[in-house]
Amino acid sequence: KKKNMSSVIISWFWSLVRLVRWALSVAVIGMSAVIGFLWYFQRSLIFPRPKKDQAMRIRHGSYIQVDVEKENRPAGVGKRLVGCYFAPRSEDHWTLVFWHGNADQIGNVGDILGQHLNQEHGYGFLAVEYPGYALCDGEPSEKSIIWSSDRMMQYIIHELRLNPDRVCVFGQSIGTAVAAQMAAR
């Protein structure tokens, strides 16, 4: 009877080992599938953006385009950069440069916020669109967004001739990271 009991225990032990192996295999396969899904869709998860057919036109500000087709630009930057611009009421007024949050666009929050800040306070305002979002060609990535934003900053200082000491940058959500990067420059 002792021998029988020990063979039952050994059999039970190996059954438990097989069950644990099976559970671990299922867990590894499941985690691999989740990681594969996240890797494949990472860009659309990090940069959820409105589709081109959902682009809101700029209703109040000036629609500006900066042609960068002939410039040495990183992958993902389209041929033109886009912004929504309100000129400052005077040289004494600041110009605010704004980057919106994910899944938004300059035709939405930038246009409305710019109109309010310009009409009520006289501030200049530029809402910068990300590559691949709504009105702007390209594909969003950290590199394409930073390059495009830096180029738009150069545009307002050199082309629009705004005083860099009278420019303030800010952002909403993911736009805060871009604004911080521009402020550091």
Side-chain angles (χ1 to χ4, degrees):
K1 202 161 184 170
K2 276 187 178 181
K3 192 174 189 185
N4 224 359
M5 183 65 138
S6 66
S7 67
V8 168
I9 291 173
I10 291 172
S11 173
W12 179 82
F13 173 76
W14 288 114
S15 294
L16 184 61
V17 167
R18 282 192 297 280
L19 180 64
V20 168
R21 273 195 213 157
W22 177 82
L24 286 174
S25 296
V26 168
V28 166
I29 290 169
M31 288 302 291
S32 296
V34 168
I35 289 169
F37 173 83
L38 291 174
W39 179 83
Y40 185 77
F41 292 105
Q42 66 183 317
R43 190 158 320 274
S44 62
L45 292 169
I46 294 171
F47 302 110
R49 58 189 182 214
K51 295 181 174 112
K52 294 287 181 190
D53 62 349
Q54 297 171 335
M56 297 176 72
R57 68 179 185 43
I58 294 170
R59 300 167 306 282
H60 307 292
S62 299
Y63 176 75
I64 61 169
Q65 294 184 55
V66 178
D67 183 5
V68 294
E69 184 174 10
K70 295 179 180 158
E71 295 183 31
N72 184 17
R73 60 192 194 278
V77 176
K79 296 176 183 177
R80 62 187 173 81
L81 307 178
V82 176
C84 175
Y85 180 67
F86 295 82
R89 201 174 293 157
S90 72
E91 287 183 11
D92 294 332
H93 284 91
W94 285 77
T95 296
L96 309 173
V97 182
F98 172 73
W99 289 270
H100 60 74
N102 258 335
D104 207 346
Q105 55 184 300
I106 62 172
N108 184 23
V109 70
D111 196 33
I112 295 165
L113 182 60
Q115 179 188 28
H116 173 75
L117 291 170
N118 187 258
Q119 287 179 350
E120 297 295 320
H121 306 286
Y123 293 124
F125 185 86
L126 173 67
V128 179
E129 190 61 278
Y130 305 129
Y133 277 64
L135 299 170
C136 194
D137 298 329
E139 285 295 318
S141 69
E142 182 179 354
K143 187 178 267 188
S144 69
I145 290 171
I146 295 299
W147 189 91
S148 298
S149 297
D150 188 53
R151 183 61 181 85
M152 288 298 274
M153 293 295 291
Q154 292 173 31
Y155 175 80
I156 65 167
I157 292 166
H158 300 294
E159 303 295 321
L160 298 179
R161 303 207 186 296
L162 295 176
N163 180 352
D165 294 332
R166 305 288 298 165
V167 172
C168 179
V169 297
F170 73 108
Q172 171 198 11
S173 186
I174 198 169
T176 305
V178 183
Q181 188 71 237
M182 293 302 106
R185 293 170 185 230

